Amino acid sequence: MQLPIDDRILEALESSGMILSPTVIAINIDKSRDEVNRRLSILVEYGVVTRVKRGYYEITDAGEQYLAGELDAGDLEPTEK
């Protein structure tokens, strides 16, 4: 991932094992909701987070593999919109 906040977002999603909103993630990683929301859009584009429904996100298998060191961020490609 490009920024340290990306790892923190993924870690928050993984450790909770739950579907979370940007506001909940932001509170737990001490960042602004706007900053988390911007990064979530990018993480969804790269397939490490999925948007469950508007305003709610969860980590994907690829995101878990990245955190476990089994997937290199350089190998990730953005998906077509």
Side-chain angles (χ1 to χ4, degrees):
M1 303 293 90
Q2 293 182 343
L3 301 174
I5 188 174
D6 296 343
D7 287 352
R8 306 242 349 251
I9 291 169
L10 290 172
E11 289 164 356
L13 288 167
E14 182 184 51
S15 67
S16 74
M18 296 172 28
I19 296 167
L20 301 176
S21 70
T23 301
V24 171
I25 295 168
I27 290 168
N28 284 288
I29 67 171
D30 198 29
K31 297 290 182 184
S32 75
R33 185 196 59 78
D34 288 340
E35 186 176 10
V36 168
N37 205 37
R38 280 192 299 275
R39 295 311 299 171
L40 278 168
S41 294
I42 293 167
L43 295 173
V44 167
E45 187 177 333
Y46 279 85
V48 293
V49 170
T50 188
R51 184 177 292 116
V52 177
K53 66 178 189 175
R54 185 177 178 178
Y56 294 93
Y57 300 85
E58 68 182 347
I59 193 167
T60 64
D61 290 340
E64 290 174 349
Q65 290 171 351
Y66 166 76
L67 287 177
E70 299 168 0
L71 178 65
D72 186 87
D75 294 336
L76 297 172
E77 300 271 334
T79 57
E80 297 286 327
K81 286 190 174 187

